[in-house]
Amino acid sequence: QVQLVESGGGSVQAGGSLKLSCIISGDTLNNYEMGWYRQAPGKQRELVAGVPTRGPTDYAESVKGRFTGSRDNTKNTISLEMNSLKPEDTAVYYCKASSTWTSRFYWGQGTQVIVSS
């Protein structure tokens, strides 16, 4: 069974940095297109960064230049390095794995990020 576990969330002041990680188990990372999403209270879940099996990571306009997504297939892990954090970045952050072979996808349990002004 495929499972995703995020880590690295926490509370920081505006301007600070955090690095999130998501490790996949039960399958090989290379079989999945990956993405980082976030959901703020009262808002819909939104895509923050798409981390494909090949090619560059793409980003939401709101995080371009501040967030960097990456993947390490040898460690079955993706990361999201977040710099220059703003209070509006406060949300629960989720990773999503979408199979390149089937229509299946999986979500992690989420990790909370709180940015105070």
Side-chain angles (χ1 to χ4, degrees), residues 27-100:
D27 203 344
T28 302
L29 180 64
N30 204 38
N31 289 332
Y32 296 89
E33 304 293 338
M34 300 297 294
W36 285 102
Y37 291 73
R38 68 186 179 188
Q39 188 166 18
K43 295 188 177 181
Q44 288 191 329
R45 193 170 297 189
E46 63 175 357
L47 176 65
V48 175
V51 187
T53 55
R54 290 182 177 84
T57 299
D58 58 273
Y59 301 93
E61 284 296 325
S62 59
V63 307
K64 277 184 180 178
R66 301 188 297 121
F67 289 13
T68 302
S70 62
R71 66 193 293 154
D72 185 340
N73 289 332
T74 66
K75 295 181 180 179
N76 267 7
T77 300
I78 65 167
S79 299
L80 185 69
E81 188 164 353
M82 307 185 295
N83 297 312
S84 302
L85 282 161
K86 304 175 181 180
E88 50 264 44
D89 295 318
T90 294
V92 178
Y93 284 70
Y94 299 89
C95 63
K96 180 184 179 183
S98 301
S99 173
T100 59

